[in-house]
Amino acid sequence: MAKTISTKTLAKKVINHEKTLILDVRNTDEFDNWKIEGGKVEVINEPYFNLLDDVEPVSSRLEKDKEIIVVCAKGGSSEMVADLLEEAGFINAYSLEGGMKAWSEHLEPVKIGDLTDGGSLYQFVRLGKGCLSYFIESNGEAAIIDTARMTDVYENFAEKQGIQIKHLIDTHLHADHISGGLSLASKVDGKYHLPPKDATEVTFDYTPLEEGNDIIVGNTAVKVHPVYSPGHTIGSTSFIIDDTYLLTGDILFVKSIGRPDLAGLAEDWVGDLRNTLYNRYKELSDDLVVLPAHYSFAEELGEGGKVSARLGDLYSKNSGLQVEDEGVFRKMVTENLPPQPNAYQDIRQTNLGQITPEHEEQKEMEIGPNRCAVEG
Amino acid sequence: MEVKKVLDAKGLACPMPIVKTKKTMEELNSGEILEVHATDKGAKSDLTAWAKSGGHELLKDTEEDNVLKFWIKKG
């Protein structure tokens, strides 16, 4: 039997920037579409069906006593290949339990910082998809922003610290992953907040997010201040937390900016996107720490797994914020866009409550990278 | 289309559909056709990629009632 490694252990290696060698045995199309990245991960691809008779196609690229983590779609083929490698003398071959499917679901909490009243802010990093959600905790209460589908992770996290989850907030209607906001709100008897302009077709009750209506966490000074910032969707809303952090949703990322086309209205929304990025955000303090809802590039994953940047620095470094000409900007965010996220239309419908896929189907819909960004 | 052999790989999870297909294919002569039935969703892209890398030709594939069927001509 092959030795295995859990997604949790692999996640720690990635966020701690430990040297990690991955042998991905899925077919090359699937590998090229989506793979494990970040930290000091080195990944090589050789489909498992080329290794059935002999591991020779990879043996010259591997070392006999070094750790090799074998990865496939669901964990079956990687187990077989890890066995074959072990028989061939590669004594430290491990199979990733559950494969890419399990990797897509793993959430890793990373502490961003303390808040003025003694509370704290955590970023939950979904390494497999590059999705980021936020857990704001203060005086025994919590608000979660852009909750992922795997709601038990947040529940366990809250329970361990004796915290009650009160507010579930989505910055916008997501198209790349299924929101856990509504289901967790009903489970913990909390409020589910959505931007009203993104929620015109929802089939459930929600609390509308409005600029000026701050959400108070833990009855203290921790303010979650909504800022209307359309562009990725017409309702997209950012949040200033504790006057220090700017949660930008899918409008502004560390190395790129949001794409306006996932609801089919790129031409209509490009002006809003421009206005948000080049005017509205510019009026805010340069010292705000930008915390986005996604990352797309392995190098955005910083020390300890944090994904963040100073707003003022992004105005000099982020390529999406350097486009002076409006026509050039329009072209950049509407033409030659990357492929859309897997099943994005079904995901939008699920998040609107219009369809309710089975649990297994929901997992399948979320396979693959997030693809919510455009690079300048 | 004259099918030489039918392989039932229904209910088997990855990697078994490919492992069995490969084994069965070894019993065929070049130019003969193997028909494979599978239910594992991943079988489609894997069989396509495997056939290509092994020099075989995927003649046709269908999906009906969650059963994937493939016709592969040995190279």
Side-chain angles (χ1 to χ4, degrees), chain A residues 26-28 30 48-50 52-53 72 74-77 80 364, chain B residues 14-16 18-19 22 26 40-42 45-47 49-50 53:
Chain A
R26 292 173 302 153
N27 70 58
T28 304
E30 286 173 16
Y48 66 93
F49 43 77
N50 293 341
L52 295 174
D53 294 329
C72 68
K74 293 173 192 168
S77 303
M80 179 189 71
E364 294 286 342
Chain B
C14 188
M16 291 321 287
I18 299 271
V19 171
K22 184 175 181 295
E26 282 162 13
D40 187 84
K41 285 243 157 53
S45 63
D46 281 0
L47 265 175
W50 169 78
S53 80

